[in-house]
Amino acid sequence: MSVRPLPDLIPDTKLKLPKQAERTLSSGLTVIAIRRPAVPLIEMRLRVPFGRAPLARATLLSQALFTGTATMSSIDIAAELQSVGGGLSAGLDPDRLLVTGNSLAGGLDRMLEILAGVLSDPTYPAEEVATERDRLADHIQVAQTQPAHLARTALLQRVYGRHPYAVQTPEAEQVKGVRPAQLRALHADRVRPQGAVLVLVGDLNPEKAIDSAEKALSGWIGPSRDGNVPPTPELEPGPLLLVDRPGAVQSSLRMALPAVTRTDPDYAALQLANMVFGGYFSSRWVENIREDKGYTYGPHSSIEHFVAGSSLVVAAEVATEVTGPAMLETLYELGRIASLPPGEEELEQARRYALGTLRLGMSTQAGLAGLASIYASFGLRLDYLREHSAALASATREQVAEAAARYLAPSAAVTVVLGDADKVEAPLAALTAVERSE
Amino acid sequence: MKIPATKYPVERFTLDNGLRVVLTPDRSAPVVGVAVVYDVGIRSEPEGRTGFAHLFEHLMFQGSENLEKLAHFRHVQGAGGSFNGSTHLDYTDYFEVLPAGALERALFLEADRMRGPRLTEENLRNQVDVVKEEIRVNVLNRPYGGFPWLRLPPVMFETFANAHDGYGSFGDLDHATVADAEEFFDKYYASGNAVLAVAGDFDVAQATVLIERHFGDVQARSKPDLPDFAEPDLSGERRESYVDRLAPLPAVASGYRIPDPIGQFEQYLPYVVLAEVLTDGDASRLVERLVQRDRTVTSVGGYIGFMGDEYQVRNPTAMLLQAHLPPGGDADKVLRTIDEELDRLATGGLTPGELARTQARMATHLLRDTDAVLGRALPMAVLEAQRGRPELLNELPRLVGEVTEAQIVAAAATLRPERRATIEVVPGANQ
């Protein structure tokens, strides 16, 4: 019993969406501009459809995008951006090429001009591409010694099989074979405005910012190739896949479970079921394997969305000696949430957390830009925040229990463990069928 | 380009028990950030108790006067908020970001653990296990773990305070006792040794009432004297290397002592800018030379403070340059090139526009960080604790913009090989 009472919460005010504007240009590029003037800056996100692009070339293209244009060297690009407090970088996921940028508010036009040059007039100079190619190959080599990367690679392979999502990082050797001419060809083929979405957020007037983008990007035109990825396959549960990492002092536990898209009627209930299980710190699984048993530092489970399908991923790094017991508790907690309805109070707590984090996520320029850009690549807009909040607020205990039974049952899981196989195989085999990876 | 500044208001007061309070309201989003900073960090932990400041940080989440174990997490997240804490060389922070209507709850939770955490044997043993897992994840089970922040200080410094491993040895962690924790709390977690900062959507008068309600009766205890951690500069170059059995490629990091970040702030600030001139982006000196022209490194970074918190660290600290090398890379050659580039800067000065563009980019980084409520509450709390000047956060973009070419050149001239400590990673994987 508390001697001092816990203060009440003052109920949240109605969710207020910021002022925004949207326009699809004749090139097929959609521009969304959102005003949040708290600091005199602009955040920019551009997502270009890139599904089924050849992986090694696409990955190197994302690293070499800023190596030069007809009028600027890589150093000119960096220096000119810097002079308006700006910076641009690029990355790749299995569906999109993502260009991220930010600058001082007064630098918007200049940043857009430089972006336009990079998009419509890139040269991929041989020397600079060679530098980026070697760096990328080295970074891949380092990534391949990171347990988290190795475990994810094994899980993706096991989950997606022959689907394009199965391999998301190229081999260093494949990258080394990519030539600048191939980057130019891929760029001409795929870095196109059709279906791309540019998001601008910050200290701006939305209509004027879109005018600026329209003017700067008027020369970026041309049709894009269809980048649609086929739907992801159903999960096929089977024996636990054990990947050997001799001498590892920890094991990386990974499980994939089925999930649904953000617009599915089950989504809010599934999100809440995942929270109660392991989706935040105050969840059963985290309280069990970290705060009660001390097996792990940062376990987490989350729903991952790709354009062609969603999945729920459970992940923990645990000491080698407790790999079996940690797996036991994980299976126990999955079984418990799938079999018994959550308690009233723990569901309310998860619900308030889910609603609160939506608000926190949109409280900065960078957060808003990220949300708006991710939603847009799934055909959604910021008003989805309002719809999803309503769905979270109204999901019942029965609906959450149903979602848990349907999606979180341990029998549906695909499981991969990376660790010292000679030490962890027997304890894992006591719980489930185990198959060693080749 | 003109460097803009922020004008976040700053209200300060001190409670009778010595707790200093900083309030910085901003109604632009319905969220609040609450930070409590204690003026104790890794440098103050007792000998034989490496890693204790960090272990104690974990114990602060394990229940308090009115709260059971797990309650803190549940009450923050059940209010829609997020929380964390972190241990630095010179301070330990605890923080929440929440929807605005949860402000009083956050204040209650922070006050409750300031009055007294529940220090039990069971919770201590549990968190020793959790901390060991944290060390395995971040240091022992991954390549380049602890590089360079745990590896360089023992090469660079002599005293236990400055040189020891802040994550701690498993032996020291295992031997920590509840009595040690009680003593550490009594000595360092006095309200007079703490600062509370609140940023975001609240009314100052109301928040003041709430803060007095919850923190006003935290018992006053004497504040510890702040030790002087100073030690002499290096008298000759120092160099060590170690084999990282998980690392596939070589890496190298060097540190150079720089002026006192607080007592000599004017002389210190040029080094902060210099680090960016050298390594911020493809147009910076060392990236252009080492990555793009010579291809002797695959990445290079420069920053101040072993944890990258240049405005939240006390003397002594260092400017660090670190690089990852390609297969068969030659660290000596990289260091020689760095010396060459520093000489070129010290004798030839900057190119037209080089300083201004670096300053513009630094302004963007500073402003971007302050857009988040915790990006204001946390640094303001530390700036109050260490300098009594939380408003410095608003002034930084301008002050960075006022650093001159002459100051950069003079700073570069002090970075001599004989004042340098270097640690080299020898790859042990796939060899």
Side-chain angles (χ1 to χ4, degrees), chain B residues 364-396:
Chain B
T364 295
H365 286 306
L366 284 164
L367 295 170
R368 195 166 188 255
D369 289 346
T370 62
D371 189 27
V373 284
L374 284 175
R376 304 192 288 277
L378 275 166
M380 280 191 184
V382 182
L383 291 171
E384 169 64 36
Q386 296 185 346
R387 301 164 189 256
R389 293 213 60 229
E391 63 279 8
L392 182 62
L393 190 66
N394 282 321
E395 299 163 13
L396 282 172

PDB file of all heavy atoms in Angstrom, chain B residues 364-396:
ATOM      1  N   THR B 364      22.405  23.234 -37.093  1.00  0.00           N
ATOM      2  CA  THR B 364      21.298  22.315 -37.377  1.00  0.00           C
ATOM      3  C   THR B 364      21.272  21.168 -36.363  1.00  0.00           C
ATOM      4  O   THR B 364      20.219  20.836 -35.818  1.00  0.00           O
ATOM      5  CB  THR B 364      21.417  21.751 -38.810  1.00  0.00           C
ATOM      6  OG1 THR B 364      21.253  22.824 -39.727  1.00  0.00           O
ATOM      7  CG2 THR B 364      20.350  20.691 -39.090  1.00  0.00           C
ATOM      8  N   HIS B 365      22.438  20.606 -36.090  1.00  0.00           N
ATOM      9  CA  HIS B 365      22.468  19.497 -35.121  1.00  0.00           C
ATOM     10  C   HIS B 365      22.002  19.947 -33.736  1.00  0.00           C
ATOM     11  O   HIS B 365      21.231  19.255 -33.073  1.00  0.00           O
ATOM     12  CB  HIS B 365      23.883  18.917 -35.023  1.00  0.00           C
ATOM     13  CG  HIS B 365      24.278  18.095 -36.217  1.00  0.00           C
ATOM     14  ND1 HIS B 365      23.518  17.053 -36.673  1.00  0.00           N
ATOM     15  CD2 HIS B 365      25.336  18.158 -37.051  1.00  0.00           C
ATOM     16  CE1 HIS B 365      24.094  16.502 -37.732  1.00  0.00           C
ATOM     17  NE2 HIS B 365      25.209  17.161 -37.986  1.00  0.00           N
ATOM     18  N   LEU B 366      22.475  21.122 -33.310  1.00  0.00           N
ATOM     19  CA  LEU B 366      22.090  21.608 -31.981  1.00  0.00           C
ATOM     20  C   LEU B 366      20.587  21.873 -31.906  1.00  0.00           C
ATOM     21  O   LEU B 366      19.918  21.498 -30.937  1.00  0.00           O
ATOM     22  CB  LEU B 366      22.852  22.905 -31.659  1.00  0.00           C
ATOM     23  CG  LEU B 366      24.324  22.728 -31.275  1.00  0.00           C
ATOM     24  CD1 LEU B 366      25.064  24.064 -31.371  1.00  0.00           C
ATOM     25  CD2 LEU B 366      24.445  22.170 -29.852  1.00  0.00           C
ATOM     26  N   LEU B 367      20.059  22.529 -32.936  1.00  0.00           N
ATOM     27  CA  LEU B 367      18.628  22.870 -32.927  1.00  0.00           C
ATOM     28  C   LEU B 367      17.772  21.608 -33.031  1.00  0.00           C
ATOM     29  O   LEU B 367      16.719  21.500 -32.393  1.00  0.00           O
ATOM     30  CB  LEU B 367      18.302  23.805 -34.092  1.00  0.00           C
ATOM     31  CG  LEU B 367      18.976  25.176 -34.030  1.00  0.00           C
ATOM     32  CD1 LEU B 367      18.779  25.932 -35.340  1.00  0.00           C
ATOM     33  CD2 LEU B 367      18.407  25.988 -32.870  1.00  0.00           C
ATOM     34  N   ARG B 368      18.229  20.671 -33.822  1.00  0.00           N
ATOM     35  CA  ARG B 368      17.467  19.446 -34.022  1.00  0.00           C
ATOM     36  C   ARG B 368      17.339  18.698 -32.700  1.00  0.00           C
ATOM     37  O   ARG B 368      16.277  18.177 -32.365  1.00  0.00           O
ATOM     38  CB  ARG B 368      18.210  18.599 -35.053  1.00  0.00           C
ATOM     39  CG  ARG B 368      17.419  17.481 -35.649  1.00  0.00           C
ATOM     40  CD  ARG B 368      18.146  16.963 -36.881  1.00  0.00           C
ATOM     41  NE  ARG B 368      17.313  16.018 -37.582  1.00  0.00           N
ATOM     42  CZ  ARG B 368      17.506  14.697 -37.567  1.00  0.00           C
ATOM     43  NH1 ARG B 368      18.513  14.194 -36.883  1.00  0.00           N
ATOM     44  NH2 ARG B 368      16.697  13.904 -38.231  1.00  0.00           N
ATOM     45  N   ASP B 369      18.440  18.649 -31.960  1.00  0.00           N
ATOM     46  CA  ASP B 369      18.386  17.965 -30.664  1.00  0.00           C
ATOM     47  C   ASP B 369      17.393  18.630 -29.718  1.00  0.00           C
ATOM     48  O   ASP B 369      16.724  17.952 -28.940  1.00  0.00           O
ATOM     49  CB  ASP B 369      19.770  17.938 -30.013  1.00  0.00           C
ATOM     50  CG  ASP B 369      20.720  16.997 -30.746  1.00  0.00           C
ATOM     51  OD1 ASP B 369      20.238  16.184 -31.563  1.00  0.00           O
ATOM     52  OD2 ASP B 369      21.942  17.084 -30.511  1.00  0.00           O
ATOM     53  N   THR B 370      17.306  19.963 -29.765  1.00  0.00           N
ATOM     54  CA  THR B 370      16.430  20.645 -28.801  1.00  0.00           C
ATOM     55  C   THR B 370      14.961  20.578 -29.204  1.00  0.00           C
ATOM     56  O   THR B 370      14.100  21.003 -28.439  1.00  0.00           O
ATOM     57  CB  THR B 370      16.811  22.132 -28.606  1.00  0.00           C
ATOM     58  OG1 THR B 370      16.655  22.817 -29.851  1.00  0.00           O
ATOM     59  CG2 THR B 370      18.226  22.274 -28.093  1.00  0.00           C
ATOM     60  N   ASP B 371      14.659  20.068 -30.385  1.00  0.00           N
ATOM     61  CA  ASP B 371      13.256  19.940 -30.790  1.00  0.00           C
ATOM     62  C   ASP B 371      12.515  18.921 -29.918  1.00  0.00           C
ATOM     63  O   ASP B 371      11.302  18.996 -29.757  1.00  0.00           O
ATOM     64  CB  ASP B 371      13.185  19.541 -32.276  1.00  0.00           C
ATOM     65  CG  ASP B 371      11.772  19.589 -32.830  1.00  0.00           C
ATOM     66  OD1 ASP B 371      10.950  20.383 -32.302  1.00  0.00           O
ATOM     67  OD2 ASP B 371      11.470  18.851 -33.778  1.00  0.00           O
ATOM     68  N   ALA B 372      13.218  17.971 -29.356  1.00  0.00           N
ATOM     69  CA  ALA B 372      12.596  16.976 -28.475  1.00  0.00           C
ATOM     70  C   ALA B 372      12.607  17.503 -27.041  1.00  0.00           C
ATOM     71  O   ALA B 372      13.587  18.102 -26.612  1.00  0.00           O
ATOM     72  CB  ALA B 372      13.376  15.666 -28.557  1.00  0.00           C
ATOM     73  N   VAL B 373      11.528  17.275 -26.296  1.00  0.00           N
ATOM     74  CA  VAL B 373      11.475  17.830 -24.933  1.00  0.00           C
ATOM     75  C   VAL B 373      12.649  17.345 -24.077  1.00  0.00           C
ATOM     76  O   VAL B 373      13.202  18.112 -23.284  1.00  0.00           O
ATOM     77  CB  VAL B 373      10.134  17.544 -24.211  1.00  0.00           C
ATOM     78  CG1 VAL B 373       9.051  18.458 -24.734  1.00  0.00           C
ATOM     79  CG2 VAL B 373       9.732  16.089 -24.308  1.00  0.00           C
ATOM     80  N   LEU B 374      13.038  16.088 -24.258  1.00  0.00           N
ATOM     81  CA  LEU B 374      14.187  15.610 -23.472  1.00  0.00           C
ATOM     82  C   LEU B 374      15.496  16.184 -23.992  1.00  0.00           C
ATOM     83  O   LEU B 374      16.480  16.249 -23.256  1.00  0.00           O
ATOM     84  CB  LEU B 374      14.249  14.080 -23.480  1.00  0.00           C
ATOM     85  CG  LEU B 374      13.237  13.397 -22.563  1.00  0.00           C
ATOM     86  CD1 LEU B 374      13.311  11.884 -22.743  1.00  0.00           C
ATOM     87  CD2 LEU B 374      13.465  13.772 -21.100  1.00  0.00           C
ATOM     88  N   GLY B 375      15.506  16.611 -25.242  1.00  0.00           N
ATOM     89  CA  GLY B 375      16.678  17.278 -25.804  1.00  0.00           C
ATOM     90  C   GLY B 375      16.893  18.652 -25.184  1.00  0.00           C
ATOM     91  O   GLY B 375      17.939  19.274 -25.387  1.00  0.00           O
ATOM     92  N   ARG B 376      15.879  19.137 -24.442  1.00  0.00           N
ATOM     93  CA  ARG B 376      16.047  20.375 -23.666  1.00  0.00           C
ATOM     94  C   ARG B 376      16.203  20.061 -22.181  1.00  0.00           C
ATOM     95  O   ARG B 376      17.092  20.576 -21.513  1.00  0.00           O
ATOM     96  CB  ARG B 376      14.844  21.294 -23.890  1.00  0.00           C
ATOM     97  CG  ARG B 376      14.600  21.606 -25.352  1.00  0.00           C
ATOM     98  CD  ARG B 376      13.613  22.727 -25.565  1.00  0.00           C
ATOM     99  NE  ARG B 376      12.232  22.419 -25.285  1.00  0.00           N
ATOM    100  CZ  ARG B 376      11.400  21.809 -26.149  1.00  0.00           C
ATOM    101  NH1 ARG B 376      11.837  21.437 -27.328  1.00  0.00           N
ATOM    102  NH2 ARG B 376      10.151  21.588 -25.822  1.00  0.00           N
ATOM    103  N   ALA B 377      15.321  19.191 -21.663  1.00  0.00           N
ATOM    104  CA  ALA B 377      15.343  18.932 -20.217  1.00  0.00           C
ATOM    105  C   ALA B 377      16.694  18.342 -19.776  1.00  0.00           C
ATOM    106  O   ALA B 377      17.274  18.799 -18.777  1.00  0.00           O
ATOM    107  CB  ALA B 377      14.211  17.980 -19.841  1.00  0.00           C
ATOM    108  N   LEU B 378      17.184  17.351 -20.520  1.00  0.00           N
ATOM    109  CA  LEU B 378      18.424  16.687 -20.082  1.00  0.00           C
ATOM    110  C   LEU B 378      19.639  17.602 -20.112  1.00  0.00           C
ATOM    111  O   LEU B 378      20.327  17.751 -19.101  1.00  0.00           O
ATOM    112  CB  LEU B 378      18.672  15.435 -20.914  1.00  0.00           C
ATOM    113  CG  LEU B 378      17.951  14.179 -20.422  1.00  0.00           C
ATOM    114  CD1 LEU B 378      17.987  13.093 -21.486  1.00  0.00           C
ATOM    115  CD2 LEU B 378      18.582  13.682 -19.133  1.00  0.00           C
ATOM    116  N   PRO B 379      19.947  18.236 -21.253  1.00  0.00           N
ATOM    117  CA  PRO B 379      21.137  19.097 -21.227  1.00  0.00           C
ATOM    118  C   PRO B 379      20.983  20.278 -20.281  1.00  0.00           C
ATOM    119  O   PRO B 379      21.958  20.679 -19.636  1.00  0.00           O
ATOM    120  CB  PRO B 379      21.290  19.555 -22.682  1.00  0.00           C
ATOM    121  CG  PRO B 379      20.030  19.226 -23.368  1.00  0.00           C
ATOM    122  CD  PRO B 379      19.373  18.119 -22.603  1.00  0.00           C
ATOM    123  N   MET B 380      19.771  20.830 -20.161  1.00  0.00           N
ATOM    124  CA  MET B 380      19.612  21.948 -19.224  1.00  0.00           C
ATOM    125  C   MET B 380      19.879  21.496 -17.788  1.00  0.00           C
ATOM    126  O   MET B 380      20.478  22.231 -16.997  1.00  0.00           O
ATOM    127  CB  MET B 380      18.219  22.564 -19.347  1.00  0.00           C
ATOM    128  CG  MET B 380      18.086  23.517 -20.534  1.00  0.00           C
ATOM    129  SD  MET B 380      16.545  24.446 -20.414  1.00  0.00           S
ATOM    130  CE  MET B 380      16.598  25.374 -21.962  1.00  0.00           C
ATOM    131  N   ALA B 381      19.434  20.297 -17.441  1.00  0.00           N
ATOM    132  CA  ALA B 381      19.688  19.807 -16.081  1.00  0.00           C
ATOM    133  C   ALA B 381      21.191  19.679 -15.836  1.00  0.00           C
ATOM    134  O   ALA B 381      21.700  20.073 -14.783  1.00  0.00           O
ATOM    135  CB  ALA B 381      18.997  18.456 -15.871  1.00  0.00           C
ATOM    136  N   VAL B 382      21.920  19.145 -16.835  1.00  0.00           N
ATOM    137  CA  VAL B 382      23.365  18.970 -16.647  1.00  0.00           C
ATOM    138  C   VAL B 382      24.075  20.327 -16.646  1.00  0.00           C
ATOM    139  O   VAL B 382      24.984  20.567 -15.843  1.00  0.00           O
ATOM    140  CB  VAL B 382      23.959  18.041 -17.727  1.00  0.00           C
ATOM    141  CG1 VAL B 382      25.450  17.833 -17.493  1.00  0.00           C
ATOM    142  CG2 VAL B 382      23.239  16.696 -17.725  1.00  0.00           C
ATOM    143  N   LEU B 383      23.652  21.209 -17.537  1.00  0.00           N
ATOM    144  CA  LEU B 383      24.282  22.541 -17.582  1.00  0.00           C
ATOM    145  C   LEU B 383      24.066  23.282 -16.258  1.00  0.00           C
ATOM    146  O   LEU B 383      24.953  23.995 -15.783  1.00  0.00           O
ATOM    147  CB  LEU B 383      23.739  23.358 -18.758  1.00  0.00           C
ATOM    148  CG  LEU B 383      24.146  22.856 -20.149  1.00  0.00           C
ATOM    149  CD1 LEU B 383      23.378  23.589 -21.252  1.00  0.00           C
ATOM    150  CD2 LEU B 383      25.652  23.007 -20.372  1.00  0.00           C
ATOM    151  N   GLU B 384      22.893  23.089 -15.648  1.00  0.00           N
ATOM    152  CA  GLU B 384      22.650  23.683 -14.329  1.00  0.00           C
ATOM    153  C   GLU B 384      23.555  23.025 -13.290  1.00  0.00           C
ATOM    154  O   GLU B 384      24.200  23.713 -12.487  1.00  0.00           O
ATOM    155  CB  GLU B 384      21.175  23.518 -13.942  1.00  0.00           C
ATOM    156  CG  GLU B 384      20.837  23.866 -12.488  1.00  0.00           C
ATOM    157  CD  GLU B 384      21.071  25.331 -12.126  1.00  0.00           C
ATOM    158  OE1 GLU B 384      20.826  26.200 -12.988  1.00  0.00           O
ATOM    159  OE2 GLU B 384      21.502  25.592 -10.980  1.00  0.00           O
ATOM    160  N   ALA B 385      23.634  21.693 -13.319  1.00  0.00           N
ATOM    161  CA  ALA B 385      24.421  20.983 -12.306  1.00  0.00           C
ATOM    162  C   ALA B 385      25.896  21.350 -12.392  1.00  0.00           C
ATOM    163  O   ALA B 385      26.556  21.556 -11.383  1.00  0.00           O
ATOM    164  CB  ALA B 385      24.252  19.471 -12.478  1.00  0.00           C
ATOM    165  N   GLN B 386      26.410  21.448 -13.604  1.00  0.00           N
ATOM    166  CA  GLN B 386      27.852  21.636 -13.756  1.00  0.00           C
ATOM    167  C   GLN B 386      28.267  23.094 -13.855  1.00  0.00           C
ATOM    168  O   GLN B 386      29.406  23.428 -13.542  1.00  0.00           O
ATOM    169  CB  GLN B 386      28.328  20.875 -15.008  1.00  0.00           C
ATOM    170  CG  GLN B 386      28.142  19.367 -14.894  1.00  0.00           C
ATOM    171  CD  GLN B 386      28.719  18.598 -16.072  1.00  0.00           C
ATOM    172  OE1 GLN B 386      29.031  19.177 -17.107  1.00  0.00           O
ATOM    173  NE2 GLN B 386      28.852  17.290 -15.921  1.00  0.00           N
ATOM    174  N   ARG B 387      27.367  23.956 -14.340  1.00  0.00           N
ATOM    175  CA  ARG B 387      27.764  25.341 -14.600  1.00  0.00           C
ATOM    176  C   ARG B 387      26.828  26.376 -13.993  1.00  0.00           C
ATOM    177  O   ARG B 387      27.126  27.566 -14.038  1.00  0.00           O
ATOM    178  CB  ARG B 387      27.782  25.609 -16.116  1.00  0.00           C
ATOM    179  CG  ARG B 387      28.719  24.735 -16.907  1.00  0.00           C
ATOM    180  CD  ARG B 387      28.383  24.795 -18.393  1.00  0.00           C
ATOM    181  NE  ARG B 387      29.146  23.808 -19.129  1.00  0.00           N
ATOM    182  CZ  ARG B 387      30.213  24.086 -19.896  1.00  0.00           C
ATOM    183  NH1 ARG B 387      30.588  25.335 -20.068  1.00  0.00           N
ATOM    184  NH2 ARG B 387      30.869  23.139 -20.504  1.00  0.00           N
ATOM    185  N   GLY B 388      25.649  25.938 -13.528  1.00  0.00           N
ATOM    186  CA  GLY B 388      24.655  26.914 -13.080  1.00  0.00           C
ATOM    187  C   GLY B 388      24.144  27.762 -14.229  1.00  0.00           C
ATOM    188  O   GLY B 388      23.686  28.894 -14.026  1.00  0.00           O
ATOM    189  N   ARG B 389      24.210  27.254 -15.466  1.00  0.00           N
ATOM    190  CA  ARG B 389      23.825  28.060 -16.631  1.00  0.00           C
ATOM    191  C   ARG B 389      23.014  27.232 -17.645  1.00  0.00           C
ATOM    192  O   ARG B 389      23.484  26.962 -18.760  1.00  0.00           O
ATOM    193  CB  ARG B 389      25.077  28.595 -17.337  1.00  0.00           C
ATOM    194  CG  ARG B 389      25.877  29.611 -16.514  1.00  0.00           C
ATOM    195  CD  ARG B 389      26.536  30.648 -17.424  1.00  0.00           C
ATOM    196  NE  ARG B 389      25.541  31.380 -18.190  1.00  0.00           N
ATOM    197  CZ  ARG B 389      25.603  31.585 -19.500  1.00  0.00           C
ATOM    198  NH1 ARG B 389      26.593  31.089 -20.223  1.00  0.00           N
ATOM    199  NH2 ARG B 389      24.658  32.271 -20.116  1.00  0.00           N
ATOM    200  N   PRO B 390      21.793  26.853 -17.301  1.00  0.00           N
ATOM    201  CA  PRO B 390      20.996  26.064 -18.256  1.00  0.00           C
ATOM    202  C   PRO B 390      20.703  26.827 -19.554  1.00  0.00           C
ATOM    203  O   PRO B 390      20.539  26.220 -20.604  1.00  0.00           O
ATOM    204  CB  PRO B 390      19.704  25.771 -17.485  1.00  0.00           C
ATOM    205  CG  PRO B 390      19.645  26.792 -16.398  1.00  0.00           C
ATOM    206  CD  PRO B 390      21.072  27.111 -16.049  1.00  0.00           C
ATOM    207  N   GLU B 391      20.654  28.141 -19.468  1.00  0.00           N
ATOM    208  CA  GLU B 391      20.337  28.943 -20.660  1.00  0.00           C
ATOM    209  C   GLU B 391      21.449  28.868 -21.707  1.00  0.00           C
ATOM    210  O   GLU B 391      21.251  29.276 -22.857  1.00  0.00           O
ATOM    211  CB  GLU B 391      20.050  30.410 -20.285  1.00  0.00           C
ATOM    212  CG  GLU B 391      21.204  31.182 -19.664  1.00  0.00           C
ATOM    213  CD  GLU B 391      21.378  30.917 -18.164  1.00  0.00           C
ATOM    214  OE1 GLU B 391      20.706  30.021 -17.616  1.00  0.00           O
ATOM    215  OE2 GLU B 391      22.212  31.593 -17.547  1.00  0.00           O
ATOM    216  N   LEU B 392      22.587  28.301 -21.326  1.00  0.00           N
ATOM    217  CA  LEU B 392      23.665  28.122 -22.305  1.00  0.00           C
ATOM    218  C   LEU B 392      23.173  27.312 -23.510  1.00  0.00           C
ATOM    219  O   LEU B 392      23.655  27.487 -24.631  1.00  0.00           O
ATOM    220  CB  LEU B 392      24.860  27.421 -21.643  1.00  0.00           C
ATOM    221  CG  LEU B 392      26.106  27.191 -22.518  1.00  0.00           C
ATOM    222  CD1 LEU B 392      26.707  28.506 -23.001  1.00  0.00           C
ATOM    223  CD2 LEU B 392      27.160  26.381 -21.748  1.00  0.00           C
ATOM    224  N   LEU B 393      22.195  26.445 -23.283  1.00  0.00           N
ATOM    225  CA  LEU B 393      21.678  25.630 -24.384  1.00  0.00           C
ATOM    226  C   LEU B 393      21.159  26.506 -25.531  1.00  0.00           C
ATOM    227  O   LEU B 393      21.363  26.198 -26.705  1.00  0.00           O
ATOM    228  CB  LEU B 393      20.559  24.703 -23.881  1.00  0.00           C
ATOM    229  CG  LEU B 393      20.105  23.635 -24.871  1.00  0.00           C
ATOM    230  CD1 LEU B 393      21.212  22.624 -25.155  1.00  0.00           C
ATOM    231  CD2 LEU B 393      18.857  22.914 -24.362  1.00  0.00           C
ATOM    232  N   ASN B 394      20.473  27.609 -25.173  1.00  0.00           N
ATOM    233  CA  ASN B 394      19.984  28.543 -26.206  1.00  0.00           C
ATOM    234  C   ASN B 394      21.130  29.267 -26.913  1.00  0.00           C
ATOM    235  O   ASN B 394      20.993  29.687 -28.052  1.00  0.00           O
ATOM    236  CB  ASN B 394      19.089  29.615 -25.569  1.00  0.00           C
ATOM    237  CG  ASN B 394      17.693  29.097 -25.267  1.00  0.00           C
ATOM    238  OD1 ASN B 394      17.131  28.332 -26.052  1.00  0.00           O
ATOM    239  ND2 ASN B 394      17.149  29.496 -24.134  1.00  0.00           N
ATOM    240  N   GLU B 395      22.226  29.441 -26.193  1.00  0.00           N
ATOM    241  CA  GLU B 395      23.310  30.284 -26.712  1.00  0.00           C
ATOM    242  C   GLU B 395      24.298  29.514 -27.582  1.00  0.00           C
ATOM    243  O   GLU B 395      25.092  30.114 -28.310  1.00  0.00           O
ATOM    244  CB  GLU B 395      24.077  30.932 -25.534  1.00  0.00           C
ATOM    245  CG  GLU B 395      23.189  31.815 -24.673  1.00  0.00           C
ATOM    246  CD  GLU B 395      23.819  32.114 -23.295  1.00  0.00           C
ATOM    247  OE1 GLU B 395      25.023  31.839 -23.110  1.00  0.00           O
ATOM    248  OE2 GLU B 395      23.085  32.601 -22.429  1.00  0.00           O
ATOM    249  N   LEU B 396      24.266  28.184 -27.499  1.00  0.00           N
ATOM    250  CA  LEU B 396      25.306  27.400 -28.166  1.00  0.00           C
ATOM    251  C   LEU B 396      25.402  27.626 -29.681  1.00  0.00           C
ATOM    252  O   LEU B 396      26.511  27.782 -30.203  1.00  0.00           O
ATOM    253  CB  LEU B 396      25.140  25.909 -27.847  1.00  0.00           C
ATOM    254  CG  LEU B 396      25.633  25.483 -26.462  1.00  0.00           C
ATOM    255  CD1 LEU B 396      25.248  24.035 -26.183  1.00  0.00           C
ATOM    256  CD2 LEU B 396      27.146  25.655 -26.313  1.00  0.00           C
TER     257      LEU B 396
END
